Amino acid sequence: MVKKKYEKPVIKKLQMGFMNKFGRGYLSHIRQAIDGVSIDKLVEMYGSPQFVFSEKRLRQNYRRLYNSFSNRYPNVQFGWSYKTNYLNAICAILHKEGEVAEVVSEFEYEKARNLGVPGHKIIFNGPFKTISSLKRALEEGAIINIDHFEEIQDIERLAQSLNKKVKVGIRINMDTGIVPQWSRFGFNLESGQALDAVKRIAYGKRLVLNGLHCHIGTFILEPKAYSLEIEKMVNFAYQIEDDFGFKIEYLDIGGGFPSKNRLKGIYLPPEVIIPSGEDFAEAICDTLLRCLRPNDFPKLILETGRAIVDEAGYLITTVHAIKRMPDGLRAYVVDAGVNLLFTSFWYKFNIEIDREVQGIPEPSIIYGPLCMNIDVVEESINLPPLPRGTRLIISPVGAYNVTQWMQFINYRPAVSLITIEGKIELIREPETLDDILGKEKLPQKLQLNLED
Ligand SMILES: *Cc1c(COP(=O)(O)O)cnc(C)c1O
């Protein structure tokens, strides 16, 4: 065991509301490597800031969750939610694990096809599907979940022009006790709108309804909400089968499982309040098996996003400056801002440092590099006096950040992957001026000639 350095005893006033030296010690928050690759090495190769993904963790998370379902139910398929993270390398790993693609726009559809995912392995969701994307999806045999009545009409017209009867699913929304209720997507169940959609499809005679889709929300902490969802879906499926003669071949229950991240304002650690994948799987599969008729095993589809990728992602950032604020708070300016950390609005991340630092921890604030007052990466964290150059490792940041990040004031940084074999692969190059100028056009009359 490494002997800890001697620290002089001190008397220090306790500040309410902050963690303090006598609570959780900061020394447990040192991280010098990710999956055995040193932070120094990563920065030396691809700079700071840098997003780093762990292939090992990604595969582990997927397998753990998939197995908790497939051990309990015989017909399970996961669909990778592209919007959660659509970097090719991340999608490819999950496709190799067996996930199909779940896309919600023409862009995402094209991205999946470009990566090599065949149409019949794409689930096409979302409230805005262009006619051209619907046409392509129909031709290529994608699974389409209809969002609204206009889309029923769009698809009927396309089915007519393609002269074929096409299978479709519908998205429904319902009360599962989750507030706010997500009722803007699909057809509402309780009001009878979902039934109207089924009637409309049946009367149209051009489409064959074969699936139901529902996505009740995100970061759901209540397995019971899913039990309720699946129960209502199964009952509705049988109502459709009995009254309209359609066979519901899949029940797609969407995503929404939480990652082990800490929501702002919730002080219990994630390990305490966040149910495990097993808890969700048990609630869902028990209810499913209880509600299904004998020998009927429709495909159970899950579109879990954040629970699979969040913990596989880290952001390395570097202390650039140290300030003392007028109220006495110590402040740091680091090289990664909230434009790279969209989820910082909801999460209080783990922040680890890459070295042991001598000195008394005190409440500190971490600012990003943007010239914007809102650029606060962490409002309050107890840190020893970090010298310039200290690396901070922020996690979990694998979900939604590398899709919702925006180019603003600075270039977006490199994204690397540590493979199972321990190799460092660059999976997205850092941006350069050309990436941004490539799309700009300067009208002839505005060409500058300020030199003379
Ligand atoms: C965003 C989304 C998901 C993934 O949600 P998570 O909360 O990240 O699991 C799945 N399905 C649909 C339709 C979505 O819009």
Side-chain angles (χ1 to χ4, degrees), residues 137-288:
L138 286 174
E139 286 167 350
E140 296 178 344
I143 297 163
I144 302 174
N145 291 315
I146 298 178
D147 185 78
H148 48 254
F149 287 104
E150 282 73 14
E151 201 173 299
I152 297 177
Q153 204 169 30
D154 289 343
I155 298 179
E156 281 179 343
R157 286 198 183 126
L158 288 165
Q160 187 173 19
S161 71
L162 295 171
N163 200 20
K164 65 177 192 181
K165 216 164 179 169
V166 294
K167 289 184 171 183
V168 291
I170 54 169
R171 179 164 181 170
I172 60 177
N173 67 71
M174 60 178 71
D175 181 8
T176 57
I178 294 300
V179 280
Q181 193 181 323
W182 281 28
S183 47
R184 57 165 289 186
F185 301 111
F187 304 95
N188 183 258
L189 184 65
E190 288 86 2
S191 71
Q193 195 181 45
L195 189 60
D196 286 345
V198 178
K199 284 182 192 157
R200 173 67 188 76
I201 288 170
Y203 295 153
K205 291 195 172 61
R206 293 203 181 276
L207 311 180
V208 177
L209 181 64
N210 77 329
L212 294 179
H213 173 271
C214 179
H215 173 66
I216 57 175
T218 194
F219 216 89
I220 306 281
L221 296 171
E222 217 15 281
K224 266 196 88 153
Y226 288 96
S227 309
L228 211 54
E229 176 193 14
I230 199 76
E231 184 172 348
K232 288 186 175 190
M233 282 176 95
V234 172
N235 291 342
F236 189 49
Y238 285 140
Q239 184 185 357
I240 294 168
E241 292 188 5
D242 294 347
D243 296 351
F244 298 88
F246 293 126
K247 174 77 191 102
I248 300 302
E249 295 166 325
Y250 66 88
L251 298 169
D252 182 338
I253 62 168
F257 298 158
S259 58
K260 297 261 175 326
N261 222 320
R262 186 190 304 257
L263 285 179
K264 283 190 173 165
I266 294 183
Y267 291 97
L268 285 170
E271 307 80 61
V272 176
I273 63 153
I274 293 177
S276 69
E278 292 280 319
D279 297 334
F280 286 108
E282 193 176 297
I284 291 164
C285 297
D286 284 1
T287 312
L288 188 55

Side-chain angles (χ1 to χ4, degrees), residues 9-14 19-25 360-361 382:
V10 288
I11 293 175
K12 188 164 164 270
K13 193 175 150 195
L14 289 186
M19 296 225 281
N20 57 70
K21 180 170 156 40
F22 309 98
R24 207 144 60 125
I360 304 151
N382 227 30

Side-chain angles (χ1 to χ4, degrees), residues 81 83-84 102 125 171 213 215 218 255-256 303-306 400:
S81 160
K83 76 170 190 295
T84 310
E102 188 269 331
N125 290 328
R171 179 164 181 170
H213 173 271
H215 173 66
T218 194
E303 303 167 347
T304 304
R306 95 174 60 238
Y400 295 101

